[in-house]
Amino acid sequence: MDFLSGRGKYALNPIEEEDKLAEKLERKGKRIIRLNRGDPAKYFPTPKYIIDAYKEALQERITGYTAADGSKEMKDAVSERYSRLYGIKLGHDDIIVTQGVSEALMFLNSALINESDSAILFKPYYSLYLPWLKLNGGNAIIENYDESSNWDVHTEGLKRSLKKIGSKKDRIKYMMITNPNNPTGTVLSKSVLKEVVDIANEHGIFLISDEIYDEIVYNNARFTSLSQLAKGMPHAILNGASKVYDSTGFRIGYIIVPEGDRKSQALKERLYNYALMRLSVNSPAQYATVEAIRNTKEHKKAINAMVKEIALRANRATKLLNENPYLQTVKPNGAFYILPRVDLAKLGIKSDREFTDMLLEKEGIQVTRGSGFGASSHFRIVALPPKEILDYAINRINTLCKKQSR
């Protein structure tokens, strides 16, 4: 008799899969530069006004449970934010506060996926989308972001796939997009996003947009929220405090289901039930996030300074990477990730996993293999560290490529 569940084989996170090896190498005295985790708070301190609000929550003894689906104040703040930024009106029942977007993914897949149901994911996809789908017995229909078109959605391929699937579309529970994208750094154009919305609406597919990086946009890109284009059709939005409010450790996320149709109402009720099962989200963190959202003056100063610096770092890193003849990199314009393609054949390397292993063990640089995002022959770099660290890391990447090309 097997003691462990067979589903456990899907419990993987490639972003952190080499952490133990990195720690082992450090114990042996090797310097390790970690470019694998997208943690802005490590390089851009969480703004003081947010820290002060967290302290105030503790001093005021705001340490008990809140409502399972989020405090009234938290929901009010989220509603105010979406009204201010995107002109969307939300009620309390439209918002479920979660312990980060990771829990939101768990809730959504648990609520929607039965054994052998499907979901449409676009690769490269965020590394936790596929595990949560499979843990719930679902299958992925993989579509593509088109690297030759700056990682835009390949809408023609999506249309062909849906036409081929035909009557089996009823088993497709949702379609997931990420905008701005992790791991590519792409911000979808309004026209492409509208085309995706129209396709989902035509085929009756519930559309979900992960928008956790919605204010981290640069290089003249413009972000459009799904909520602005999908009015009147069933959809959901994922967001939170981790990236834009620079507070990853607070673990504050939320799911927005803004419509009142039958599917949306059923989903909201089911999500609420899942929230009841874990009782509450961190109450001081909710309190601090309310202040983070409502203090627009301080937030504007903090986010503008952070995005300006991220743009400088990402653009410089992309330029340096593209000077390497064995790498090809699409310039990002949102979030803080870069996804170079590696010419593995010219380097005599069999896989992107072998490449990232060698980079860590020989050069002391920890990145994430592209295959963890559905993008083999790529690797993901986090462009958050200062210029000196990124320059050093890219120099070590170049060194490995030169050694392997001989």
Side-chain angles (χ1 to χ4, degrees):
M1 182 179 68
D2 292 332
F3 176 59
L4 297 176
S5 163
R7 294 188 303 273
K9 65 184 177 183
Y10 299 121
L12 302 169
N13 186 355
I15 293 170
E16 300 176 12
E17 67 187 1
E18 292 192 318
D19 282 0
K20 289 184 178 179
L21 175 58
E23 291 167 4
K24 181 179 178 181
L25 292 169
E26 280 183 322
R27 288 195 296 269
K28 291 181 177 180
K30 191 174 187 65
R31 181 190 183 191
I32 302 297
I33 302 296
R34 288 179 167 81
L35 302 180
N36 61 314
R37 294 184 74 179
D39 188 356
K42 183 176 180 180
Y43 301 101
F44 299 89
T46 304
K48 183 178 182 297
Y49 82 101
I50 300 176
I51 298 298
D52 288 345
Y54 202 109
K55 289 180 180 177
E56 183 177 314
L58 296 176
Q59 290 166 349
E60 295 296 322
R61 300 293 193 271
I62 301 174
T63 55
Y65 292 141
T66 67
D69 57 340
S71 70
K72 175 184 180 299
E73 294 77 13
M74 180 70 198
K75 291 191 172 196
D76 284 342
V78 171
S79 179
E80 291 162 14
R81 181 179 190 268
Y82 271 77
S83 176
R84 181 174 69 249
L85 294 180
Y86 306 122
I88 306 302
K89 293 183 179 180
L90 298 171
H92 279 195
D93 291 344
D94 300 332
I95 303 163
I96 302 286
V97 181
T98 59
Q99 296 178 117
V101 169
S102 298
E103 185 180 68
L105 293 170
M106 179 181 73
F107 279 11
L108 282 166
N109 281 284
S110 298
L112 293 172
I113 298 297
N114 293 309
E115 196 74 29
S116 299
D117 282 342
S118 298
I120 298 174
L121 305 179
F122 294 88
K123 68 176 184 180
Y125 43 74
Y126 175 53
S127 59
L128 294 186
Y129 293 166
L130 190 58
W132 278 120
L133 175 61
K134 290 195 168 188
L135 276 164
N136 285 277
N139 301 311
I141 298 170
I142 302 296
E143 294 299 322
N144 294 291
Y145 294 111
D146 187 355
E147 189 171 10
S148 65
S149 298
N150 296 320
W151 295 117
D152 245 338
V153 174
H154 193 282
T155 53
E156 291 305 313
L158 174 61
K159 290 176 185 177
R160 286 194 298 269
S161 293
L162 289 172
K163 184 176 180 180
K164 187 176 179 180
I165 291 167
S167 61
K168 295 181 181 178
K169 288 197 299 288
D170 290 344
R171 299 306 300 268
I172 301 175
K173 289 299 185 70
Y174 65 81
M175 179 160 61
M176 172 82 76
I177 58 172
T178 317
N179 186 33
N181 188 276
N182 173 9
T184 68
T186 301
V187 179
L188 294 178
S189 66
K190 184 176 182 179
S191 60
V192 168
L193 183 59
K194 179 65 166 62
E195 194 171 359
V196 172
V197 169
D198 289 344
I199 292 169
N201 197 25
E202 177 186 350
H203 294 277
I205 298 172
F206 193 85
L207 188 55
I208 303 172
S209 182
D210 182 346
E211 301 181 355
I212 190 73
Y213 302 95
D214 63 351
E215 291 186 65
I216 305 178
V217 176
Y218 42 91
N219 292 338
N220 298 315
R222 298 190 68 177
F223 171 78
T224 302
S225 173
L226 176 64
S227 62
Q228 296 171 287
L229 299 181
K231 294 177 183 178
M233 64 171 280
H235 67 282
I237 295 162
L238 311 183
N239 212 323
S242 292
K243 313 298 182 176
V244 167
Y245 295 99
D246 194 11
S247 53
T248 47
F250 285 14
R251 307 313 300 138
I252 296 293
Y254 49 85
I255 307 168
I256 296 172
V257 186
E259 297 297 326
D261 58 276
R262 181 178 57 81
K263 282 184 177 179
S264 296
Q265 285 299 119
L267 178 58
K268 283 185 263 195
E269 291 172 13
R270 185 59 57 87
L271 291 172
Y272 177 73
N273 289 340
Y274 278 109
L276 289 173
M277 290 179 68
R278 62 91 174 92
L279 303 183
S280 174
V281 173
N282 182 321
S283 50
Q286 288 186 74
Y287 184 94
T289 301
V290 170
E291 173 64 12
I293 293 172
R294 285 179 166 166
N295 193 334
T296 55
K297 181 180 178 180
E298 288 298 320
H299 173 60
K300 186 176 180 180
K301 286 195 297 184
I303 191 69
N304 285 350
M306 185 170 74
V307 171
K308 181 180 179 180
E309 190 59 38
I310 287 171
L312 290 172
R313 296 176 189 187
N315 289 340
R316 177 180 174 81
T318 302
K319 179 178 180 294
L320 293 176
L321 289 163
N322 276 330
E323 290 173 0
N324 183 326
Y326 306 101
L327 304 178
Q328 187 177 0
T329 308
V330 175
K331 188 176 182 179
N333 49 18
F336 33 71
Y337 307 103
I338 308 170
L339 191 72
R341 174 184 286 275
V342 192
D343 193 334
L344 296 173
K346 287 185 179 178
L347 299 179
I349 297 175
K350 295 178 181 178
S351 68
D352 55 326
R353 176 62 187 266
E354 183 181 354
F355 178 84
T356 58
D357 285 348
M358 292 174 69
L359 189 58
L360 178 56
E361 293 180 21
K362 294 185 176 184
E363 306 298 335
I365 307 299
Q366 185 180 4
V367 296
T368 306
R369 58 184 171 90
S371 52
F373 307 97
S376 59
S377 300
H378 293 74
F379 65 97
R380 191 192 75 166
I381 289 178
V382 173
L384 287 170
K387 166 183 168 294
E388 299 75 23
I389 295 177
L390 286 172
D391 284 3
Y392 172 84
I394 293 169
N395 182 57
R396 302 317 302 166
I397 293 169
N398 293 342
T399 297
L400 176 64
C401 290
K402 288 174 184 176
K403 289 177 183 176
Q404 287 301 123
S405 65
R406 291 171 187 163

